[in-house]
Amino acid sequence: MMTGSIRKHDESRPKPIRDRLWWVVSAPSLWALHFLACYITAAIWCEKASHPEQMSFLYALITGYSVVALVGIAAVGWLSYRNFRRGDPPLPYDFDDPQDRTHFIGFTTFLLAALSGIATLFTVLVFVLVGTCD
Amino acid sequence: MSTEEQTERLLKAWETPRGWRYWSAVNNSEVGLWYTLTAFAFFLFGGVLALIMRIQLAVPDNNWLTPDQYNQIFTMHGSVMMFLFAVPILEAISIMLLPEMMGARDLPFPRLSAYGFWCFLIGGIFVCGSLFFGVGPRGGWFMYPPMTTEYQTGVGPDIWLLGLSFIEVASIAAAVELIVGALKCRPPGMRLNLIPLYAWYILVVAVMILFAFPPLIAGDLLMELERALDWPFFDADRGGDPMLWQHLFWIFGHPEVYIVFLPSIALVAMIVPTFAKTPMAGYGWIVLAAVGTGFLSFGLWVHHMFTTGLPGITIGIFSAASEAVAIPTGVQIFCFIATLLIGRVTKSVCLLFVLAGLATFIIGGLTGVMVAIAPFDYQAHDTYFIVGHLHYVLVGGTIFPIVAGFYYYYPFVTGKQLSERLGTLAFWLMLIGFNVAFFPMHLSGLWGMPRRVYTYPGGMGFDLPNLISSGGAFVLGAGFVVLLWDVLRPKGKQPLVKRNLWNAGTLEWSGQVPDKPWGIRSIPIITTRYPLWEQENLLTDIDEGKFYLPDAEEGLRETMVTSTVDAEPMQCLRVPGPTFLTMFAALFTGGVFIFSTYHWWIAAGISGLLSFGTIVTWLWTGTALIPEKATKDVGRGLTLPTYVSGPSAVGWWAMFITMLGDMTAFVSLVFGYFFYWTVHDTFPPTEFDGRSVAGPGVFWPLATIGLSVIAWGSVIAARHLNRRDRPVGFYLSLTVSVTSAGLAAASLFWGPYANGMDPTHHVYSASVCVLVLWTIVHLVVGVVMLLYCGARRLAGRMDATHDADIVNVTLYWHFLVLTVAMTGCVIGLFPLVA
């Protein structure tokens, strides 16, 4: 059992990015940005383009968004994977220990990156399979 | 100082007011309890409305209710269940439980919770009361225009719009409270990996409220402007489009489903480990599910609009996201099942309701996957299939878990236990009644019965399923009567339960029986996820005051603020005690909304002034108070500051979170402007209805940006000068910023005014004017805040080291300058490139 050495919070000790709360939501945020970008671009394209049926420019844009989003999500996932595998603190990772905290953030972020990757691919698939404003 | 004397002082500080002053209480235990009981009362009211509908629909061609009465009743049923029960009950339970789960004495802003509660009570009674005068809203809980703008001339839609907007304010207040509570008020040692799962869910849900409710508030504002002032946002004749309301409503409405589902499933996450006698399997996976669902639920809103003629690609994108959300939703259910399988399960009524909830929700979830597929939705849309689906989701995902929570937490609140025998009876009545009532709706829907009809002709195959549904509804109602009797029956002779009755592992069960008002005797160090199971002598050490803040030597209410990730101690936070100010503030704020409904503008104005005065008094006397000493020994050799400002302070977080919500509402209005741009060939139009359509020009919007940037820079300078203790420079900077902000507001008004813009002429004019209105109101609020800071310094309530007021106001100004810049660019520059 950990005894839990409590010390006062020290602002001057900066935390690495991967130990911050917002790191957990970075991959789903990329999904959200990609989702919004695709939705807004398609909505404007379908309403405003002079020839909405010629979709090559739209596809180029969506491909660009998707590459950026998927690379970003993969990078978050990979860094988080390394984070929770590195050090490998003893099971079951549920104590008041900085290593356990790092493991938790890494593991959860990795899972969220996987989910965000799948959800992003779902969006991309729509352009592959539907591909029409009608 | 003996332990007994310390205990006495602590009890004295946290004493609940007695007699008529009881209603001035602001502590989370009292406010949480009132909130829960009020929400439950509204639930029973909504349930009675449902039974009235089922009587009407039991037989074909029934004329027991008139179509108008039926419309009011089904509208109120949906509105009450969603706005007055589902959302408030989760806030209520969280306000009551969250501090106890985290060993905190209270949430960081108890008066805000109390204000939220009183707003909720007043708004709820106002909205429900309309039904008894025959003037209730009739447009469905989604209030689609043009039906609610052109075809309903009574006050019903206004009551809905203003009454529920008022309640949404309460929801956002609770969201601010719960986010700061979950992030900053955890006990030392409770790092992110040790937070009770309930707190994770609540954190996600509170953030969702922050982004989901503001679009609806923006929509309410647009519709009320149309109804009250004839600004044509949804009037197709003048360029408006009812589809914008649908977008704004469902950007709120779909996350709303998860906003009510996740907290209930959070209760399940607390109950399952207790009755399985083992820690939850897959803690990280459940956090994934909570966060993942929270995000994906924002990508589903268009699946309510599949039949509105949107482009195929748009429908596909939202259909795909609607399928994807099933992944995280399913993950948590697997975790619950796995925990039950690996544990040694003990039978109880709580667990029966949990299992019923899971099974029912899975059925509703599967029909949800069906209607997420657009071609199926085209067939099922607006039929009773959807009524069946949504009730399986909401009753399975929300009601059954909440009933389980009632059985589980009743002893925690009252020290008495509900009857297992009556509970078993209620369970079977509810389970059987629910399925008999709602399963046939899938069939009647597939056979073609439309929703929201007050009656139907006989001989179309709808007779039998409707009769069965009505019978089931009354069996379900009987189950709730049994539950109500069990909750209300006198229990004077029943002995108190033992401490930690269910042998749970989480901290809320550390309370003594009967419980004391202090929340917890001393704030413990937490080193595990299930401290009552895994930390030896924890209860004894808590009771003996061996941990933090075991005393209240100054007679003040105190709790501890810790860091976000690792819960390292940061501050000894003094929280305010009982007051009637919050009740009066809510009453006067309510007056503004209620009088506005009837267009009693003078009364609304007076109420607004009284509300403003009360809120300023509340802030002046109760926030950012300079403490009598800079630091305090909180026990175990730890000394913490009693005053902090900036990102370390809970007030700064509250401002930041509130402004995120505020920006979301503003972005929704900007979205409206661009929505109209996409649906019109020419936007802004040059001419409409024989008149040229004026714009605000380029100069005045850009001048507004320039003046606001000067004001913003001066605010930042004022903050620096205050910190360096240069009063002359501080007041000078303040004067510059107030003057510049005033000029900015005038300049923003002057552009549209001088160019002769008429907001009733065309939707373009209305869209520009609403952005101008929003921004001017925010500039005025910014000026008031600056004057408040000046007065605080003059009165000696703010100085160089105690500067939370000006720091928080500067944060407001960061958001304000962004708002002004966006407004200026959209209305001034976008027409040049449109």
Side-chain angles (χ1 to χ4, degrees):
Chain A
M1 177 75 54
M2 305 294 300
T3 52
S5 56
I6 295 303
R7 59 178 174 180
K8 207 154 70 173
H9 183 66
D10 180 4
E11 302 254 343
S12 61
R13 273 187 293 123
K15 279 195 189 310
I17 291 169
R18 279 171 279 160
D19 281 348
R20 287 172 185 267
L21 181 59
W22 63 261
W23 178 251
V24 175
V25 295
S26 53
S29 300
L30 284 169
W31 164 82
L33 289 174
H34 175 263
F35 182 86
L36 266 183
C38 289
Y39 162 59
I40 291 171
T41 309
I44 293 175
W45 181 269
C46 291
E47 294 289 344
K48 289 283 185 185
S50 49
H51 296 287
E53 66 284 356
Q54 295 167 9
M55 303 188 94
S56 50
F57 182 63
L58 174 68
Y59 278 15
L61 283 175
I62 301 299
T63 308
Y65 301 157
S66 304
V67 168
V68 171
L70 287 169
V71 167
I73 290 169
V76 170
W78 170 244
L79 290 170
S80 302
Y81 178 80
R82 284 205 327 185
N83 227 28
F84 86 81
R85 297 297 291 181
R86 185 192 296 155
D88 227 0
L91 280 165
Y93 318 125
D94 55 359
F95 292 117
D96 169 26
D97 184 304
Q99 274 195 314
D100 283 4
R101 178 254 293 139
T102 303
H103 180 276
F104 163 75
I105 292 180
F107 182 62
T108 306
T109 312
F110 170 73
L111 291 180
L112 277 164
L115 176 67
S116 307
I118 293 169
T120 305
L121 286 174
F122 269 35
T123 309
V124 174
L125 267 181
V126 173
F127 288 86
V128 176
L129 298 176
V130 178
T132 171
C133 289
D134 297 333
Chain B
M1 181 61 59
S2 70
T3 315
E4 285 75 27
E5 283 171 312
Q6 287 187 344
T7 310
E8 277 306 308
R9 285 203 301 213
L10 194 63
L11 266 181
K12 183 80 188 149
W14 289 92
E15 195 178 29
T16 308
R18 297 203 180 109
W20 59 275
R21 286 189 175 278
Y22 173 72
W23 300 104
S24 69
V26 296
N27 188 241
N28 73 299
S29 319
E30 279 75 38
V31 173
L33 186 62
W34 302 341
Y35 227 135
T36 308
L37 292 176
T38 311
F40 194 61
F42 283 126
F43 171 73
L44 294 176
F45 178 67
V48 170
L49 296 181
L51 291 180
I52 293 173
M53 282 193 281
R54 283 317 319 169
I55 293 173
Q56 168 66 18
L57 293 173
V59 290
D61 297 312
N62 197 355
N63 56 6
W64 187 60
L65 291 178
T66 65
D68 186 63
Q69 285 172 329
Y70 187 86
N71 289 347
Q72 290 188 37
I73 287 173
F74 89 71
T75 299
M76 287 300 287
H77 169 72
S79 305
V80 165
M81 286 303 194
M82 283 310 222
F83 291 102
L84 301 182
F85 169 67
V87 176
I89 192 91
L90 76 92
E91 291 160 353
I93 295 175
S94 304
I95 285 172
M96 193 156 59
L97 291 181
L98 194 66
E100 317 290 338
M101 286 178 183
M102 300 190 305
R105 291 259 160 75
D106 204 335
L107 286 165
F109 313 107
R111 290 184 174 183
L112 188 64
S113 303
Y115 174 70
F117 165 71
W118 292 112
C119 287
F120 163 58
L121 180 69
I122 295 165
I125 291 173
F126 172 61
V127 174
C128 290
S130 65
L131 204 56
F132 297 101
F133 299 96
V135 293
R138 292 170 287 152
W141 86 287
F142 39 78
M143 282 279 135
Y144 281 172
M147 185 167 63
T148 49
T149 48
E150 285 182 42
Y151 302 107
Q152 293 187 358
T153 48
V155 291
D158 304 305
I159 288 173
W160 191 96
L161 290 166
L162 292 168
L164 294 180
S165 292
F166 178 49
I167 291 167
E168 284 151 23
V169 173
S171 293
I172 292 175
V176 170
E177 176 84 311
L178 295 173
I179 293 171
V180 182
L183 289 179
K184 305 294 289 180
C185 295
R186 305 202 302 270
M190 189 186 271
R191 297 174 194 271
L192 278 185
N193 56 318
L194 301 185
I195 304 179
L197 285 167
Y198 186 87
W200 268 112
Y201 277 107
I202 291 304
L203 183 60
V204 169
V205 166
V207 174
M208 288 171 70
I209 287 178
L210 212 58
F211 290 104
F213 275 60
L216 180 61
I217 292 177
D220 289 352
L221 173 68
L222 299 184
M223 197 191 279
E224 196 48 44
L225 284 172
E226 172 153 347
R227 287 185 58 85
L229 304 176
D230 195 29
W231 294 19
F233 294 104
F234 309 116
D235 178 4
D237 289 342
R238 287 178 285 168
D241 194 333
M243 286 290 288
L244 177 64
W245 169 264
Q246 293 201 23
H247 278 290
L248 292 177
F249 184 85
W250 290 116
I251 289 173
F252 146 80
H254 201 84
E256 159 86 351
V257 174
Y258 290 89
I259 287 170
V260 305
F261 162 66
L262 291 176
S264 308
I265 216 76
L267 287 171
V268 174
M270 301 307 280
I271 295 170
V272 162
T274 299
F275 290 103
K277 298 198 184 81
T278 184
M280 180 63 79
Y283 180 92
W285 289 87
I286 289 194
V287 176
L288 151 87
V291 177
T293 313
F295 268 87
L296 293 182
S297 68
F298 278 87
L300 316 183
W301 84 83
V302 166
H303 77 209
H304 296 265
M305 302 161 61
F306 278 165
T307 56
T308 57
L310 291 168
I313 282 190
T314 304
I315 289 174
I317 291 172
F318 285 88
S319 179
S322 306
E323 302 293 346
V325 80
I327 300 170
T329 310
V331 163
Q332 62 207 334
I333 292 173
F334 282 116
C335 290
F336 298 147
I337 294 171
T339 308
L340 289 169
L341 286 176
I342 57 177
R344 285 168 293 121
V345 177
T346 47
K347 187 175 174 252
S348 88
V349 171
C350 302
L351 205 54
L352 288 178
F353 276 107
V354 164
L355 294 174
L358 291 180
T360 311
F361 179 77
I362 289 170
I363 296 171
L366 290 175
T367 51
V369 172
M370 290 161 73
V371 290
I373 298 165
F376 184 89
D377 183 75
Y378 295 158
Q379 301 303 315
H381 186 83
D382 260 348
T383 70
Y384 259 84
F385 186 89
I386 304 295
V387 181
H389 154 70
L390 75 93
H391 282 92
Y392 267 81
V393 170
L394 290 174
V395 175
T398 302
I399 308 287
F400 283 153
I402 286 177
V403 176
F406 257 75
Y407 278 91
Y408 186 64
Y409 282 114
Y410 190 85
F412 163 85
V413 178
T414 64
K416 304 284 174 73
Q417 193 182 352
L418 290 174
S419 159
E420 289 282 303
R421 203 163 50 86
L422 286 174
T424 310
L425 175 65
F427 167 75
W428 286 112
L429 286 172
M430 286 188 206
L431 184 69
I432 293 170
F434 170 77
N435 281 289
V436 172
F438 290 98
F439 189 78
M441 292 185 188
H442 294 97
L443 300 175
S444 55
L446 288 176
W447 293 337
M449 180 162 167
R451 301 169 70 178
R452 308 180 195 109
V453 287
Y454 91 106
T455 192
Y456 50 91
M460 295 184 71
F462 305 150
D463 307 21
L464 187 62
N466 274 290
L467 189 62
I468 294 172
S469 284
S470 294
F474 277 88
V475 177
L476 176 61
F480 278 103
V481 171
V482 173
L483 169 66
L484 188 66
W485 163 245
D486 201 6
V487 170
L488 296 182
R489 74 190 158 85
K491 298 183 187 68
K493 289 180 185 166
Q494 195 174 316
L496 289 170
V497 295
K498 65 173 181 144
R499 192 177 192 180
N500 191 7
L501 168 70
W502 310 111
N503 193 23
T506 39
L507 213 49
E508 73 273 23
W509 293 100
S510 63
Q512 295 165 13
V513 182
D515 203 6
K516 300 282 199 302
W518 52 36
I520 195 160
R521 174 69 186 82
S522 57
I523 297 175
I525 297 169
I526 293 304
T527 56
T528 64
R529 277 185 199 150
Y530 294 90
L532 297 188
W533 286 344
E534 296 167 334
Q535 286 181 232
E536 284 173 26
N537 294 326
L538 184 72
L539 281 182
T540 316
D541 291 348
I542 289 174
D543 289 348
E544 290 175 357
K546 288 188 176 170
F547 290 113
Y548 298 107
L549 290 171
D551 191 2
E553 53 193 274
E554 297 88 9
L556 297 171
R557 296 184 171 196
E558 292 167 329
T559 192
M560 198 184 269
V561 174
T562 52
S563 63
T564 313
V565 173
D566 284 331
E568 292 168 335
M570 295 174 79
Q571 184 197 359
C572 169
L573 176 72
R574 266 85 186 261
V575 292
T579 178
F580 280 110
L581 277 172
T582 49
M583 187 199 282
F584 288 127
L587 208 59
F588 296 136
T589 318
V592 178
F593 285 90
I594 292 167
F595 294 136
S596 300
T597 307
Y598 297 98
H599 296 189
W600 298 342
W601 301 119
I602 295 175
I606 293 171
S607 201
L609 284 176
L610 289 170
S611 166
F612 174 75
T614 317
I615 290 172
V616 169
T617 311
W618 160 12
L619 295 174
W620 187 270
T621 56
T623 59
L625 303 177
I626 298 179
E628 77 294 344
K629 55 185 174 188
T631 57
K632 169 160 178 153
D633 178 1
V634 294
R636 300 175 72 97
L638 184 67
T639 303
L640 292 177
T642 48
Y643 187 106
V644 295
S645 65
S648 304
V650 288
W652 186 93
W653 279 76
M655 177 63 87
F656 181 73
I657 293 164
T658 309
M659 292 317 292
L660 279 183
D662 183 84
M663 280 304 280
T664 310
F666 172 67
V667 169
S668 304
L669 297 178
V670 175
F671 169 79
Y673 181 99
F674 287 102
F675 174 83
Y676 292 123
W677 170 69
T678 59
V679 298
H680 287 282
D681 290 335
T682 316
F683 193 89
T686 48
E687 192 183 83
F688 177 73
D689 207 15
R691 279 196 285 157
S692 65
V693 178
V698 178
F699 175 77
W700 293 109
L702 293 186
T704 307
I705 297 177
L707 287 163
S708 300
V709 169
I710 294 171
W712 172 60
S714 307
V715 173
I716 293 172
R719 188 192 63 187
H720 280 295
L721 291 163
N722 178 64
R723 196 163 276 181
R724 288 186 195 152
D725 213 5
R726 305 229 176 108
V728 178
F730 169 75
Y731 291 121
L732 206 61
S733 289
L734 222 52
T735 311
V736 171
S737 51
V738 167
T739 313
S740 312
L743 289 173
S747 144
L748 191 57
F749 172 76
W750 189 251
Y753 180 76
N755 285 295
M757 284 191 87
D758 171 10
T760 63
H761 182 204
H762 186 267
V763 75
Y764 166 69
S765 323
S767 304
V768 170
C769 289
V770 76
L771 289 176
V772 167
L773 180 70
W774 179 273
T775 310
I776 289 178
V777 168
H778 279 69
L779 280 164
V780 171
V781 173
V783 167
V784 170
M785 285 181 173
L786 293 173
L787 295 174
Y788 178 84
C789 288
R792 292 285 280 186
R793 171 131 198 160
L794 270 177
R797 286 171 177 263
M798 186 178 91
D799 57 33
T801 46
H802 302 98
D803 62 350
D805 294 313
I806 186 72
V807 171
N808 293 350
V809 168
T810 310
L811 180 61
Y812 172 87
W813 268 86
H814 294 333
F815 283 93
L816 177 55
V817 78
L818 196 62
T819 302
V820 176
M822 283 171 72
T823 299
C825 291
V826 169
I827 66 170
L829 298 181
F830 185 72
L832 303 179
V833 296

